[in-house]
Amino acid sequence: MSSMNSVDLAFSNIRRKATGGPLQRPLSITINFHPDRLTEDNTPLLLAIAKSGLIKSQFETQTSNGGLTAFQGGARWQWEQRVFDGAYDDAPNQLRPKYGALNYRQYPMVLLQGLVPPISNSNLMF
């Protein structure tokens, strides 16, 4: 499977599993992170995001607030394999999913803050 097809295959697999009708738009997505963490070159995470304009996966950063299992055969890799039916098994790390929360219930931002303290102490909302 080519890496260019990984994302399309993952979306296709999720669409096949999805139930219900379309959600109302616009919807916001919250990305949770620890801005005080350092990247592998000792750059503060928030600065690295601002400089690159990219949110990176644990497979790319090799950092975690919990167990670092973002490697082939690790718990995160196995979970992604089950959820996306193997679509990312051979994909380059930069194509792997980045995680956040879809605010499909359209809660006010104030209610979203602090919902995932073990995962993050900050969030970006798009």
Side-chain angles (χ1 to χ4, degrees), residues 33-39 43-50 54 56 61 63:
F33 66 101
H34 292 279
D36 55 336
R37 297 290 164 90
L38 301 176
T39 63
T43 302
L45 183 57
L46 190 55
L47 181 59
I49 292 170
L54 300 173
K56 296 184 177 181
T61 64
T63 60

Side-chain angles (χ1 to χ4, degrees), residues 14-124:
I14 292 299
R15 282 186 191 105
R16 188 174 29 82
K17 295 177 183 181
T19 61
L23 298 173
Q24 288 184 345
R25 294 188 178 162
L27 297 172
S28 57
I29 297 173
T30 304
I31 305 294
N32 305 291
F33 66 101
H34 292 279
D36 55 336
R37 297 290 164 90
L38 301 176
T39 63
E40 60 190 348
D41 66 355
N42 289 322
T43 302
L45 183 57
L46 190 55
L47 181 59
I49 292 170
K51 282 182 175 180
S52 71
L54 300 173
I55 304 290
K56 296 184 177 181
S57 73
Q58 287 184 0
F59 285 87
E60 294 172 275
T61 64
Q62 290 298 296
T63 60
S64 173
N65 191 43
L68 183 56
T69 61
F71 54 87
Q72 188 168 14
R76 178 172 289 264
W77 187 89
Q78 291 176 17
W79 179 82
E80 287 183 3
Q81 187 181 47
R82 285 190 308 273
V83 170
F84 301 107
D85 298 323
Y88 294 105
D89 285 4
D90 298 317
N93 289 339
Q94 68 268 20
L95 289 183
R96 295 190 80 89
K98 283 62 170 179
Y99 298 97
L102 177 64
N103 185 7
Y104 70 94
R105 292 187 177 167
Q106 299 181 344
Y107 289 131
M109 184 61 185
V110 103
L111 293 177
L112 294 175
Q113 293 175 357
L115 286 180
V116 286
I119 298 173
S120 70
N121 58 13
S122 295
N123 54 55
L124 295 174

